[in-house]
Amino acid sequence: MQLDDLAGLRFTYDEVGSTQYDETPEGFHRLEYRTRIGTGDEVFRRAADALLTWRMHRAAGLPVTATDTPPQVGTNSLGRLGPGMLIRRFRTVTQLGLPVPCRVVRVIDEPDRIGFAYGTLEGHPEAGEELFLVTRNGDDVYVTIRAYSRPATWYTRLAGPATRKAQYYAAGRYAAALRRLSNP
């Protein structure tokens, strides 16, 4: 699967836009991960930049390519899970691993809140949506990762709770990467 292949793919779930609400859609598991990543305007600016240029994803070990930087509603992204997470320094890394195709469904651009949400496309091992949000509360800067998901393949159904643990682990990696990128 290549980035150009994503244009014709459909979402794998009906609840598009669900990450903007506090209610968990029926049949989905919810992940909510929020942590403080630093303080001050400069940290907020760097964190927003790292998120909107996809550097957070790459620094967390998820090689990703996208049709737009910064993301806009309709931007397609293609990440790779697997060996690419370990060998991301090589150009061929985007060809390795399990494809995770997504499309941006929401962009947040407010003075104290910046981020985006993307939803899974056909071929993704999960069905659902994930939000990445950098916020400022006073001088403190936070990252929030919220996801609603359910298995979309036989192997993610078979893995059961292990997929939720892996998703929580990935959220921690995203947050740690954003903390590193915004606090040089």
Side-chain angles (χ1 to χ4, degrees):
M1 181 178 289
Q2 302 294 321
L3 188 60
D4 293 342
D5 300 332
L6 276 52
L9 297 182
R10 294 176 297 157
F11 289 106
T12 58
Y13 64 109
D14 294 328
E15 298 80 1
V16 175
S18 59
T19 52
Q20 66 185 310
Y21 306 112
D22 285 332
E23 288 185 28
T24 304
E26 189 174 334
F28 287 80
H29 297 284
R30 178 184 177 129
L31 173 129
E32 185 89 22
Y33 188 102
R34 182 175 190 257
T35 190
R36 184 177 166 280
I37 59 170
T39 58
D41 291 338
E42 192 62 25
V43 168
F44 181 76
R45 187 195 61 73
R46 285 185 190 127
D49 182 67
L51 175 60
L52 298 178
T53 59
W54 304 94
R55 286 186 305 129
M56 177 197 73
H57 285 74
R58 293 180 192 111
L62 180 67
V64 66
T65 56
T67 55
D68 299 296
T69 301
Q72 320 170 25
V73 171
T75 294
N76 289 322
S77 70
L78 181 60
R80 298 281 175 177
L81 292 176
M85 296 183 77
L86 301 174
I87 330 171
R88 66 176 188 244
R89 293 179 188 228
F90 299 102
R91 281 216 174 272
T92 57
V93 75
T94 56
Q95 301 304 313
L96 301 174
L98 185 66
V100 286
C102 296
R103 182 170 298 133
V104 174
V105 298
R106 181 173 170 224
V107 173
I108 301 105
D109 186 4
E110 300 170 6
D112 293 322
R113 295 169 20 106
I114 293 181
F116 66 92
Y118 57 33
T120 58
L121 299 174
E122 296 167 318
H124 196 294
E126 293 282 316
E129 198 167 290
E130 194 163 21
L131 167 75
F132 304 94
L133 185 64
V134 175
T135 57
R136 192 171 21 197
N137 185 359
D139 204 34
D140 291 329
V141 180
Y142 294 88
V143 62
T144 300
I145 297 150
R146 176 183 302 150
Y148 299 110
S149 63
R150 64 179 175 218
T153 62
W154 66 268
Y155 53 88
T156 51
R157 280 190 290 280
L158 183 64
T163 59
R164 289 188 294 282
K165 287 183 189 276
Q167 191 175 39
Y168 189 82
Y169 172 75
R173 286 182 59 99
Y174 288 139
L178 202 55
R179 183 179 292 113
R180 283 191 314 274
L181 294 167
S182 59
N183 293 282

